[in-house]
Amino acid sequence: MDKKKYLVTGGAGFIGSNIAFELQKQGHEVTIMDDFSASNFKNLLGFKGDVIAADIFKFMPEDVYFDAIFHEAAITDTTVHDQKRMMEINVEAFKNVLCFAAANEIKRVVYASSAGTYGQNPCPMTESQTPMPENIYGFSKAVMDNVARDFAADHRDMVIVGLRYFNVYGPGEYYKGHIASMMYQLYNQMSSGKRPRIFKMGEQMRDFVYIKDIVKANMCALAAKESCVVNAASGKARSYNDVIALLNKNMGLKLEPEYIDNPYPFFQLKTEADLTLAKEKTGYAPDYTLEKGIAEYVEVLNKRK
Ligand SMILES: NC(=O)c1ccc[n+]([C@@H]2O[C@H](COP(=O)([O-])OP(=O)(O)OC[C@H]3O[C@@H](n4cnc5c(N)ncnc54)[C@H](O)[C@@H]3O)[C@@H](O)[C@H]2O)c1
């Protein structure tokens, strides 16, 4: 395979670092840009490329070529209510990235959108549904999709692929604090002997997707022939009770859930992706069921203890 040059924004974060390591493993030259506002250098131990510490809202490098950009940098805390800041970092900075790509003849940009764009749309969630975001985070991602569509229409020589990630979990999310996946938070509670705490009555369902499938979706996006926005998910909704049952099984425990009141008015009851378009446009199909993902993740987490 030809050695290529890639830029990963937000590359010190959870998903960005996993993408960067996969590209490095494939023998490519990888540069990371991150302002370290929500990450830790420990995610990058073993990374062999350059790391530019910069706020992408304020700075993009000049006169550099990359074969593609993976744009992961964002405010990812869905409970942040500072609307201006959310829009600046998620939308305005994305415009900077697109303009930087166009100015430097970079023909492919793959960026992180979100299932948060769907809100309470019915399942399975398809890309043709009208976005109904329920918070400023989901709104910012929906605007990113609009910006990408219009930019692609004005730059026909570019391929811009938006990936609507659903609930991602797996190694590398250790520095996300209260917004880390439920798998990680519940694992930590349970491994310290506490009963797992979830919202009543644990039957809310999510399309939980293992990080290796998200990395796969990004690699598949390199093959897309035209600009598009597609789902990146497992394609199967599962309940929080299922997650606890699988954690118990893989951790050798029998801890009963402790059900607590849900304080969030905008909490989605169910998310599940339709993956038809993702398959058609990028060839993506997931490799991980919840059973396989949790089994692999628990093994990794047990080794970290
Ligand atoms: N994790 C999920 O379940 C999920 C679901 C849907 C969408 N997404 C999207 O995927 C992308 C990656 O998410 P993640 O889970 O890895 O989150 P993360 O918070 O671990 O990573 C985001 C990274 O962006 C960096 N960053 C933030 N603002 C920046 C700025 N102005 N300039 C430069 N760097 C900046 C942070 O320091 C961090 O390293 C985000 O765009 C997020 O919105 C994630």
Side-chain angles (χ1 to χ4, degrees):
M1 189 198 290
D2 283 352
K3 185 171 177 165
K4 301 249 165 78
K5 284 180 72 173
Y6 293 112
L7 175 67
V8 184
T9 73
F14 168 34
I15 297 170
S17 61
N18 277 282
I19 294 171
F21 278 114
E22 174 59 27
L23 294 168
Q24 177 173 289
K25 196 173 96 191
Q26 291 180 11
H28 302 300
E29 188 182 323
V30 186
T31 299
I32 280 171
M33 275 189 80
D34 201 300
D35 70 352
F36 290 86
S37 56
S39 51
N40 191 301
F41 74 94
K42 287 187 182 165
N43 263 348
L44 292 178
L45 293 178
F47 178 64
K48 298 192 177 79
D50 189 10
V51 179
I52 304 170
D55 179 342
I56 51 156
F57 178 51
K58 298 184 182 140
F59 170 86
M60 287 303 294
E62 278 173 22
D63 296 330
V64 275
Y65 177 76
F66 296 100
D67 291 281
I69 300 172
F70 293 89
H71 175 55
E72 305 301 313
I75 295 184
T76 58
D77 186 344
T78 54
T79 61
V80 166
H81 293 299
D82 184 340
Q83 302 190 34
K84 179 166 179 276
R85 193 170 144 63
M86 185 75 85
M87 293 302 284
E88 281 175 350
I89 303 303
N90 292 8
V91 181
E92 296 307 318
F94 179 46
K95 293 177 192 167
N96 291 347
V97 170
L98 291 174
C99 291
F100 162 75
N104 290 279
E105 303 279 315
I106 298 166
K107 302 290 180 208
R108 188 172 293 265
V109 178
V110 181
Y111 71 93
S113 181
S114 170
T117 55
Y118 288 115
Q120 303 284 5
N121 263 298
C123 293
M125 290 155 162
T126 60
E127 298 82 347
S128 58
Q129 288 171 339
T130 303
M132 287 202 286
E134 303 207 47
N135 54 27
I136 185 65
Y137 170 79
F139 178 75
S140 73
K141 292 286 172 180
V143 177
M144 283 176 75
D145 291 345
N146 297 343
V147 167
R149 181 200 56 221
D150 293 348
F151 201 90
D154 290 344
H155 299 79
R156 297 263 173 208
D157 57 337
M158 289 178 73
V159 176
I160 305 171
V161 180
L163 298 174
R164 286 188 176 162
Y165 303 157
F166 280 60
N167 284 63
V168 192
Y169 66 99
E173 61 168 319
Y174 315 125
Y175 306 102
K176 292 189 65 170
H178 74 107
I179 56 162
S181 75
M182 284 304 284
M183 281 69 171
Y184 185 56
Q185 307 206 31
L186 294 170
Y187 174 92
N188 285 335
Q189 289 167 25
M190 294 165 75
S191 65
S192 62
K194 293 189 193 122
R195 284 173 60 192
R197 283 160 64 89
I198 51 171
F199 295 145
K200 285 174 184 167
M201 290 303 293
E203 286 305 320
Q204 304 93 331
M205 299 179 95
R206 288 284 176 279
D207 189 323
F208 297 108
V209 53
Y210 194 52
I211 183 65
K212 286 194 180 165
D213 276 334
I214 288 299
V215 171
K216 183 182 182 191
N218 277 274
M219 298 307 118
C220 287
L222 290 176
K225 293 202 168 44
E226 57 188 11
S227 296
C228 54
V229 177
V230 297
N231 290 333
S234 74
K236 184 127 185 53
R238 301 291 295 271
S239 73
Y240 289 98
N241 286 331
D242 287 344
V243 170
I244 290 177
L246 286 167
L247 284 170
N248 267 323
K249 179 171 174 233
N250 286 282
M251 295 171 77
L253 299 170
K254 283 189 175 149
L255 293 167
E256 286 294 322
E258 184 187 336
Y259 294 111
I260 57 173
D261 288 325
N262 178 1
Y264 298 111
F266 52 77
F267 202 73
Q268 287 164 299
L269 286 180
K270 180 176 177 186
T271 65
E272 184 174 74
D274 182 327
L275 294 177
T276 314
L277 194 69
K279 175 91 185 157
E280 184 190 315
K281 297 283 186 190
T282 72
Y284 168 76
D287 293 327
Y288 281 79
T289 59
L290 190 67
E291 281 72 10
K292 189 173 161 192
I294 288 187
E296 187 171 310
Y297 194 20
V298 167
E299 231 180 278
V300 175
L301 292 172
N302 284 343
K303 283 196 193 120
R304 285 187 92 231
K305 279 206 289 187

